[in-house]
mmCIF file of all heavy atoms in Angstrom:
data_model
loop_
_atom_site.group_PDB
_atom_site.id
_atom_site.type_symbol
_atom_site.label_atom_id
_atom_site.label_comp_id
_atom_site.label_asym_id
_atom_site.label_seq_id
_atom_site.Cartn_x
_atom_site.Cartn_y
_atom_site.Cartn_z
ATOM 1 N N LEU Y 1 -16.388 -2.993 -1.030
ATOM 2 C CA LEU Y 1 -16.166 -1.814 -0.197
ATOM 3 C C LEU Y 1 -17.132 -0.687 -0.552
ATOM 4 O O LEU Y 1 -17.514 0.106 0.311
ATOM 5 C CB LEU Y 1 -14.722 -1.329 -0.346
ATOM 6 C CG LEU Y 1 -13.630 -2.292 0.130
ATOM 7 C CD1 LEU Y 1 -12.259 -1.736 -0.221
ATOM 8 C CD2 LEU Y 1 -13.741 -2.523 1.639
ATOM 9 N N GLN Y 2 -17.508 -0.613 -1.834
ATOM 10 C CA GLN Y 2 -18.405 0.466 -2.269
ATOM 11 C C GLN Y 2 -19.824 0.287 -1.753
ATOM 12 O O GLN Y 2 -20.611 1.234 -1.752
ATOM 13 C CB GLN Y 2 -18.436 0.521 -3.802
ATOM 14 C CG GLN Y 2 -17.082 0.744 -4.447
ATOM 15 C CD GLN Y 2 -16.532 2.120 -4.161
ATOM 16 O OE1 GLN Y 2 -17.227 3.111 -4.306
ATOM 17 N NE2 GLN Y 2 -15.271 2.183 -3.760
ATOM 18 N N THR Y 3 -20.171 -0.939 -1.338
ATOM 19 C CA THR Y 3 -21.538 -1.195 -0.869
ATOM 20 C C THR Y 3 -21.737 -0.783 0.592
ATOM 21 O O THR Y 3 -22.873 -0.726 1.057
ATOM 22 C CB THR Y 3 -21.890 -2.685 -1.021
ATOM 23 O OG1 THR Y 3 -21.059 -3.469 -0.145
ATOM 24 C CG2 THR Y 3 -21.665 -3.146 -2.459
ATOM 25 N N VAL Y 4 -20.644 -0.519 1.294
ATOM 26 C CA VAL Y 4 -20.749 -0.124 2.702
ATOM 27 C C VAL Y 4 -21.072 1.364 2.774
ATOM 28 O O VAL Y 4 -20.343 2.179 2.205
ATOM 29 C CB VAL Y 4 -19.433 -0.406 3.456
ATOM 30 C CG1 VAL Y 4 -19.563 -0.012 4.931
ATOM 31 C CG2 VAL Y 4 -19.041 -1.870 3.321
ATOM 32 N N PRO Y 5 -22.164 1.746 3.429
ATOM 33 C CA PRO Y 5 -22.489 3.181 3.539
ATOM 34 C C PRO Y 5 -21.349 3.966 4.172
ATOM 35 O O PRO Y 5 -20.612 3.449 5.021
ATOM 36 C CB PRO Y 5 -23.739 3.186 4.432
ATOM 37 C CG PRO Y 5 -24.326 1.818 4.273
ATOM 38 C CD PRO Y 5 -23.169 0.893 4.074
ATOM 39 N N SER Y 6 -21.216 5.217 3.771
ATOM 40 C CA SER Y 6 -20.076 6.036 4.199
ATOM 41 C C SER Y 6 -20.000 6.162 5.712
ATOM 42 O O SER Y 6 -18.932 5.989 6.307
ATOM 43 C CB SER Y 6 -20.174 7.429 3.567
ATOM 44 O OG SER Y 6 -20.284 7.341 2.176
ATOM 45 N N LEU Y 7 -21.124 6.483 6.358
ATOM 46 C CA LEU Y 7 -21.106 6.644 7.808
ATOM 47 C C LEU Y 7 -20.776 5.329 8.508
ATOM 48 O O LEU Y 7 -20.073 5.324 9.530
ATOM 49 C CB LEU Y 7 -22.453 7.176 8.298
ATOM 50 C CG LEU Y 7 -22.705 8.671 8.088
ATOM 51 C CD1 LEU Y 7 -24.105 9.043 8.535
ATOM 52 C CD2 LEU Y 7 -21.682 9.502 8.857
ATOM 53 N N ALA Y 8 -21.276 4.217 7.957
ATOM 54 C CA ALA Y 8 -20.965 2.916 8.542
ATOM 55 C C ALA Y 8 -19.474 2.615 8.405
ATOM 56 O O ALA Y 8 -18.849 2.098 9.341
ATOM 57 C CB ALA Y 8 -21.790 1.822 7.863
ATOM 58 N N MET Y 9 -18.894 2.945 7.258
ATOM 59 C CA MET Y 9 -17.458 2.733 7.055
ATOM 60 C C MET Y 9 -16.650 3.545 8.057
ATOM 61 O O MET Y 9 -15.681 3.050 8.644
ATOM 62 C CB MET Y 9 -17.076 3.125 5.631
ATOM 63 C CG MET Y 9 -15.587 2.970 5.319
ATOM 64 S SD MET Y 9 -15.043 1.257 5.262
ATOM 65 C CE MET Y 9 -15.666 0.789 3.623
ATOM 66 N N LEU Y 10 -17.036 4.810 8.256
ATOM 67 C CA LEU Y 10 -16.324 5.646 9.221
ATOM 68 C C LEU Y 10 -16.446 5.078 10.628
ATOM 69 O O LEU Y 10 -15.471 5.078 11.397
ATOM 70 C CB LEU Y 10 -16.875 7.070 9.170
ATOM 71 C CG LEU Y 10 -16.544 7.886 7.915
ATOM 72 C CD1 LEU Y 10 -17.339 9.183 7.892
ATOM 73 C CD2 LEU Y 10 -15.054 8.202 7.851
ATOM 74 N N ALA Y 11 -17.629 4.575 10.975
ATOM 75 C CA ALA Y 11 -17.825 4.000 12.305
ATOM 76 C C ALA Y 11 -16.982 2.742 12.490
ATOM 77 O O ALA Y 11 -16.378 2.528 13.550
ATOM 78 C CB ALA Y 11 -19.302 3.684 12.525
ATOM 79 N N ILE Y 12 -16.918 1.902 11.446
ATOM 80 C CA ILE Y 12 -16.111 0.676 11.519
ATOM 81 C C ILE Y 12 -14.635 1.022 11.709
ATOM 82 O O ILE Y 12 -13.941 0.447 12.557
ATOM 83 C CB ILE Y 12 -16.314 -0.162 10.244
ATOM 84 C CG1 ILE Y 12 -17.739 -0.720 10.201
ATOM 85 C CG2 ILE Y 12 -15.298 -1.303 10.182
ATOM 86 C CD1 ILE Y 12 -18.115 -1.355 8.874
ATOM 87 N N LEU Y 13 -14.146 1.965 10.905
ATOM 88 C CA LEU Y 13 -12.733 2.337 10.997
ATOM 89 C C LEU Y 13 -12.428 3.040 12.306
ATOM 90 O O LEU Y 13 -11.317 2.912 12.841
ATOM 91 C CB LEU Y 13 -12.355 3.225 9.812
ATOM 92 C CG LEU Y 13 -12.367 2.518 8.459
ATOM 93 C CD1 LEU Y 13 -12.178 3.507 7.322
ATOM 94 C CD2 LEU Y 13 -11.254 1.470 8.408
ATOM 95 N N LEU Y 14 -13.398 3.781 12.827
ATOM 96 C CA LEU Y 14 -13.225 4.418 14.132
ATOM 97 C C LEU Y 14 -13.018 3.352 15.201
ATOM 98 O O LEU Y 14 -12.167 3.500 16.092
ATOM 99 C CB LEU Y 14 -14.452 5.273 14.453
ATOM 100 C CG LEU Y 14 -14.379 6.199 15.661
ATOM 101 C CD1 LEU Y 14 -13.359 7.290 15.431
ATOM 102 C CD2 LEU Y 14 -15.740 6.808 15.926
ATOM 103 N N THR Y 15 -13.779 2.267 15.107
ATOM 104 C CA THR Y 15 -13.647 1.169 16.070
ATOM 105 C C THR Y 15 -12.320 0.433 15.898
ATOM 106 O O THR Y 15 -11.648 0.106 16.877
ATOM 107 C CB THR Y 15 -14.814 0.179 15.901
ATOM 108 O OG1 THR Y 15 -16.057 0.878 16.059
ATOM 109 C CG2 THR Y 15 -14.733 -0.935 16.928
ATOM 110 N N LEU Y 16 -11.933 0.191 14.650
ATOM 111 C CA LEU Y 16 -10.711 -0.572 14.388
ATOM 112 C C LEU Y 16 -9.455 0.204 14.747
ATOM 113 O O LEU Y 16 -8.503 -0.359 15.300
ATOM 114 C CB LEU Y 16 -10.664 -0.989 12.909
ATOM 115 C CG LEU Y 16 -11.731 -1.986 12.454
ATOM 116 C CD1 LEU Y 16 -11.612 -2.240 10.958
ATOM 117 C CD2 LEU Y 16 -11.596 -3.299 13.215
ATOM 118 N N THR Y 17 -9.420 1.487 14.418
ATOM 119 C CA THR Y 17 -8.217 2.270 14.673
ATOM 120 C C THR Y 17 -8.164 2.838 16.078
ATOM 121 O O THR Y 17 -7.097 3.242 16.546
ATOM 122 C CB THR Y 17 -8.114 3.443 13.678
ATOM 123 O OG1 THR Y 17 -9.249 4.315 13.841
ATOM 124 C CG2 THR Y 17 -8.091 2.933 12.247
ATOM 125 N N GLN Y 18 -9.329 2.877 16.761
ATOM 126 C CA GLN Y 18 -9.414 3.465 18.102
ATOM 127 C C GLN Y 18 -8.925 4.908 18.109
ATOM 128 O O GLN Y 18 -8.311 5.375 19.070
ATOM 129 C CB GLN Y 18 -8.593 2.635 19.103
ATOM 130 C CG GLN Y 18 -9.124 1.241 19.331
ATOM 131 C CD GLN Y 18 -10.507 1.257 19.988
ATOM 132 O OE1 GLN Y 18 -10.708 1.885 21.017
ATOM 133 N NE2 GLN Y 18 -11.462 0.572 19.380
ATOM 134 N N LYS Y 19 -9.179 5.619 17.011
ATOM 135 C CA LYS Y 19 -8.766 7.009 16.892
ATOM 136 C C LYS Y 19 -9.898 7.818 16.263
ATOM 137 O O LYS Y 19 -10.672 7.288 15.477
ATOM 138 C CB LYS Y 19 -7.512 7.146 16.021
ATOM 139 C CG LYS Y 19 -6.233 6.649 16.665
ATOM 140 C CD LYS Y 19 -5.051 6.859 15.741
ATOM 141 C CE LYS Y 19 -3.756 6.456 16.419
ATOM 142 N NZ LYS Y 19 -3.412 7.334 17.543
ATOM 143 N N ILE Y 20 -9.935 9.099 16.613
ATOM 144 C CA ILE Y 20 -10.782 10.016 15.884
ATOM 145 C C ILE Y 20 -9.902 10.862 14.987
ATOM 146 O O ILE Y 20 -8.676 10.822 15.077
ATOM 147 C CB ILE Y 20 -11.584 10.929 16.835
ATOM 148 C CG1 ILE Y 20 -10.632 11.836 17.637
ATOM 149 C CG2 ILE Y 20 -12.478 10.138 17.746
ATOM 150 C CD1 ILE Y 20 -11.318 12.956 18.363
ATOM 151 N N GLY Y 21 -10.517 11.611 14.083
ATOM 152 C CA GLY Y 21 -9.736 12.546 13.280
ATOM 153 C C GLY Y 21 -9.370 12.037 11.908
ATOM 154 O O GLY Y 21 -10.095 11.241 11.287
ATOM 155 N N ALA Y 22 -8.209 12.461 11.434
ATOM 156 C CA ALA Y 22 -7.847 12.275 10.026
ATOM 157 C C ALA Y 22 -7.544 10.837 9.662
ATOM 158 O O ALA Y 22 -7.776 10.433 8.519
ATOM 159 C CB ALA Y 22 -6.640 13.162 9.693
ATOM 160 N N VAL Y 23 -7.003 10.048 10.592
ATOM 161 C CA VAL Y 23 -6.555 8.688 10.235
ATOM 162 C C VAL Y 23 -7.699 7.824 9.709
ATOM 163 O O VAL Y 23 -7.630 7.310 8.578
ATOM 164 C CB VAL Y 23 -5.839 8.017 11.425
ATOM 165 C CG1 VAL Y 23 -5.528 6.554 11.115
ATOM 166 C CG2 VAL Y 23 -4.554 8.757 11.751
ATOM 167 N N PRO Y 24 -8.779 7.603 10.477
ATOM 168 C CA PRO Y 24 -9.868 6.787 9.912
ATOM 169 C C PRO Y 24 -10.544 7.451 8.717
ATOM 170 O O PRO Y 24 -11.009 6.757 7.808
ATOM 171 C CB PRO Y 24 -10.846 6.648 11.093
ATOM 172 C CG PRO Y 24 -10.529 7.779 12.010
ATOM 173 C CD PRO Y 24 -9.072 8.026 11.860
ATOM 174 N N ALA Y 25 -10.584 8.791 8.688
ATOM 175 C CA ALA Y 25 -11.212 9.481 7.554
ATOM 176 C C ALA Y 25 -10.437 9.251 6.269
ATOM 177 O O ALA Y 25 -11.019 8.936 5.221
ATOM 178 C CB ALA Y 25 -11.314 10.981 7.843
ATOM 179 N N VAL Y 26 -9.111 9.367 6.324
ATOM 180 C CA VAL Y 26 -8.291 9.158 5.126
ATOM 181 C C VAL Y 26 -8.374 7.702 4.660
ATOM 182 O O VAL Y 26 -8.471 7.428 3.460
ATOM 183 C CB VAL Y 26 -6.825 9.561 5.399
ATOM 184 C CG1 VAL Y 26 -5.918 9.097 4.271
ATOM 185 C CG2 VAL Y 26 -6.719 11.071 5.560
ATOM 186 N N ILE Y 27 -8.353 6.759 5.609
ATOM 187 C CA ILE Y 27 -8.461 5.346 5.228
ATOM 188 C C ILE Y 27 -9.785 5.091 4.499
ATOM 189 O O ILE Y 27 -9.825 4.412 3.469
ATOM 190 C CB ILE Y 27 -8.346 4.444 6.470
ATOM 191 C CG1 ILE Y 27 -6.948 4.551 7.085
ATOM 192 C CG2 ILE Y 27 -8.644 2.985 6.103
ATOM 193 C CD1 ILE Y 27 -6.791 3.805 8.389
ATOM 194 N N ALA Y 28 -10.878 5.639 5.034
ATOM 195 C CA ALA Y 28 -12.185 5.462 4.394
ATOM 196 C C ALA Y 28 -12.201 6.059 2.994
ATOM 197 O O ALA Y 28 -12.695 5.442 2.037
ATOM 198 C CB ALA Y 28 -13.277 6.097 5.252
ATOM 199 N N LEU Y 29 -11.651 7.246 2.832
ATOM 200 C CA LEU Y 29 -11.633 7.904 1.519
ATOM 201 C C LEU Y 29 -10.786 7.125 0.532
ATOM 202 O O LEU Y 29 -11.113 7.035 -0.662
ATOM 203 C CB LEU Y 29 -11.117 9.334 1.662
ATOM 204 C CG LEU Y 29 -12.026 10.298 2.433
ATOM 205 C CD1 LEU Y 29 -11.323 11.634 2.669
ATOM 206 C CD2 LEU Y 29 -13.330 10.524 1.685
ATOM 207 N N VAL Y 30 -9.678 6.565 0.999
ATOM 208 C CA VAL Y 30 -8.837 5.744 0.119
ATOM 209 C C VAL Y 30 -9.606 4.518 -0.361
ATOM 210 O O VAL Y 30 -9.578 4.166 -1.554
ATOM 211 C CB VAL Y 30 -7.546 5.320 0.848
ATOM 212 C CG1 VAL Y 30 -6.804 4.244 0.048
ATOM 213 C CG2 VAL Y 30 -6.632 6.522 1.061
ATOM 214 N N LEU Y 31 -10.302 3.850 0.556
ATOM 215 C CA LEU Y 31 -11.051 2.649 0.186
ATOM 216 C C LEU Y 31 -12.125 2.947 -0.853
ATOM 217 O O LEU Y 31 -12.346 2.164 -1.782
ATOM 218 C CB LEU Y 31 -11.674 2.021 1.442
ATOM 219 C CG LEU Y 31 -10.685 1.460 2.467
ATOM 220 C CD1 LEU Y 31 -11.425 0.918 3.685
ATOM 221 C CD2 LEU Y 31 -9.817 0.376 1.862
ATOM 222 N N TYR Y 32 -12.809 4.099 -0.702
ATOM 223 C CA TYR Y 32 -13.841 4.465 -1.667
ATOM 224 C C TYR Y 32 -13.248 4.902 -3.002
ATOM 225 O O TYR Y 32 -13.913 4.813 -4.033
ATOM 226 C CB TYR Y 32 -14.723 5.579 -1.110
ATOM 227 C CG TYR Y 32 -15.764 5.087 -0.133
ATOM 228 C CD1 TYR Y 32 -15.715 5.444 1.204
ATOM 229 C CD2 TYR Y 32 -16.792 4.251 -0.544
ATOM 230 C CE1 TYR Y 32 -16.663 4.991 2.111
ATOM 231 C CE2 TYR Y 32 -17.742 3.785 0.347
ATOM 232 C CZ TYR Y 32 -17.672 4.159 1.677
ATOM 233 O OH TYR Y 32 -18.612 3.690 2.559
ATOM 234 N N ALA Y 33 -12.013 5.391 -2.995
ATOM 235 C CA ALA Y 33 -11.404 5.861 -4.235
ATOM 236 C C ALA Y 33 -10.798 4.736 -5.061
ATOM 237 O O ALA Y 33 -10.500 4.926 -6.251
ATOM 238 C CB ALA Y 33 -10.325 6.895 -3.917
ATOM 239 N N LEU Y 34 -10.606 3.569 -4.469
ATOM 240 C CA LEU Y 34 -9.890 2.493 -5.173
ATOM 241 C C LEU Y 34 -10.641 1.980 -6.392
ATOM 242 O O LEU Y 34 -10.044 1.750 -7.448
ATOM 243 C CB LEU Y 34 -9.616 1.340 -4.203
ATOM 244 C CG LEU Y 34 -8.458 1.523 -3.234
ATOM 245 C CD1 LEU Y 34 -8.328 0.305 -2.326
ATOM 246 C CD2 LEU Y 34 -7.160 1.756 -3.990
ATOM 247 N N LEU Y 35 -11.953 1.771 -6.265
ATOM 248 C CA LEU Y 35 -12.690 1.112 -7.348
ATOM 249 C C LEU Y 35 -12.593 1.865 -8.676
ATOM 250 O O LEU Y 35 -12.233 1.261 -9.693
ATOM 251 C CB LEU Y 35 -14.147 0.904 -6.950
ATOM 252 C CG LEU Y 35 -14.996 0.150 -7.989
ATOM 253 C CD1 LEU Y 35 -14.447 -1.243 -8.218
ATOM 254 C CD2 LEU Y 35 -16.450 0.077 -7.549
ATOM 255 N N PRO Y 36 -12.913 3.163 -8.755
ATOM 256 C CA PRO Y 36 -12.805 3.834 -10.059
ATOM 257 C C PRO Y 36 -11.380 3.862 -10.602
ATOM 258 O O PRO Y 36 -11.179 3.766 -11.826
ATOM 259 C CB PRO Y 36 -13.315 5.254 -9.777
ATOM 260 C CG PRO Y 36 -13.244 5.420 -8.304
ATOM 261 C CD PRO Y 36 -13.443 4.071 -7.722
ATOM 262 N N ILE Y 37 -10.384 3.968 -9.732
ATOM 263 C CA ILE Y 37 -9.002 4.016 -10.214
ATOM 264 C C ILE Y 37 -8.564 2.649 -10.732
ATOM 265 O O ILE Y 37 -7.988 2.536 -11.828
ATOM 266 C CB ILE Y 37 -8.067 4.514 -9.093
ATOM 267 C CG1 ILE Y 37 -8.392 5.965 -8.744
ATOM 268 C CG2 ILE Y 37 -6.606 4.378 -9.513
ATOM 269 C CD1 ILE Y 37 -7.584 6.518 -7.589
ATOM 270 N N VAL Y 38 -8.841 1.596 -9.972
ATOM 271 C CA VAL Y 38 -8.452 0.245 -10.400
ATOM 272 C C VAL Y 38 -9.200 -0.147 -11.666
ATOM 273 O O VAL Y 38 -8.599 -0.646 -12.637
ATOM 274 C CB VAL Y 38 -8.723 -0.774 -9.267
ATOM 275 C CG1 VAL Y 38 -8.498 -2.201 -9.776
ATOM 276 C CG2 VAL Y 38 -7.834 -0.490 -8.070
ATOM 277 N N ARG Y 39 -10.496 0.077 -11.690
ATOM 278 C CA ARG Y 39 -11.304 -0.326 -12.843
ATOM 279 C C ARG Y 39 -10.908 0.448 -14.095
ATOM 280 O O ARG Y 39 -10.804 -0.139 -15.190
ATOM 281 C CB ARG Y 39 -12.783 -0.122 -12.526
ATOM 282 C CG ARG Y 39 -13.715 -0.571 -13.632
ATOM 283 C CD ARG Y 39 -15.147 -0.581 -13.158
ATOM 284 N NE ARG Y 39 -15.399 -1.680 -12.221
ATOM 285 C CZ ARG Y 39 -16.519 -1.817 -11.539
ATOM 286 N NH1 ARG Y 39 -17.481 -0.921 -11.654
ATOM 287 N NH2 ARG Y 39 -16.690 -2.855 -10.727
ATOM 288 N N ASN Y 40 -10.668 1.734 -13.986
ATOM 289 C CA ASN Y 40 -10.301 2.516 -15.162
ATOM 290 C C ASN Y 40 -8.892 2.190 -15.639
ATOM 291 O O ASN Y 40 -8.617 2.234 -16.842
ATOM 292 C CB ASN Y 40 -10.416 4.010 -14.863
ATOM 293 C CG ASN Y 40 -11.836 4.514 -14.983
ATOM 294 O OD1 ASN Y 40 -12.761 3.894 -14.459
ATOM 295 N ND2 ASN Y 40 -12.037 5.615 -15.677
ATOM 296 N N THR Y 41 -7.995 1.882 -14.709
ATOM 297 C CA THR Y 41 -6.655 1.447 -15.122
ATOM 298 C C THR Y 41 -6.743 0.159 -15.916
ATOM 299 O O THR Y 41 -6.111 0.020 -16.983
ATOM 300 C CB THR Y 41 -5.755 1.257 -13.893
ATOM 301 O OG1 THR Y 41 -5.658 2.486 -13.172
ATOM 302 C CG2 THR Y 41 -4.358 0.820 -14.301
ATOM 303 N N LEU Y 42 -7.534 -0.789 -15.431
ATOM 304 C CA LEU Y 42 -7.723 -2.060 -16.149
ATOM 305 C C LEU Y 42 -8.365 -1.826 -17.506
ATOM 306 O O LEU Y 42 -7.913 -2.362 -18.523
ATOM 307 C CB LEU Y 42 -8.594 -2.985 -15.294
ATOM 308 C CG LEU Y 42 -9.053 -4.295 -15.952
ATOM 309 C CD1 LEU Y 42 -7.856 -5.162 -16.325
ATOM 310 C CD2 LEU Y 42 -10.015 -5.038 -15.035
#
């Protein structure tokens, strides 16, 4: 997930959710936040 450019991720989620605004933005931010949290917890 970290290898996908930010704008590309937003565009993909925009297509999948068929919504603009906070929903695809929050999903994208969550996906980018997972790696440091999961890795540091481990």
Side-chain angles (χ1 to χ4, degrees):
L1 296 174
Q2 302 292 312
T3 65
V4 181
S6 305
L7 283 176
M9 179 69 78
L10 289 170
I12 292 170
L13 292 172
L14 190 66
T15 303
L16 294 177
T17 61
Q18 294 295 307
K19 288 181 176 293
I20 64 167
V23 173
V26 169
I27 294 174
L29 292 172
V30 169
L31 294 178
Y32 281 114
L34 282 179
L35 183 61
I37 294 176
V38 172
R39 183 169 288 172
N40 278 47
T41 301
L42 172 62

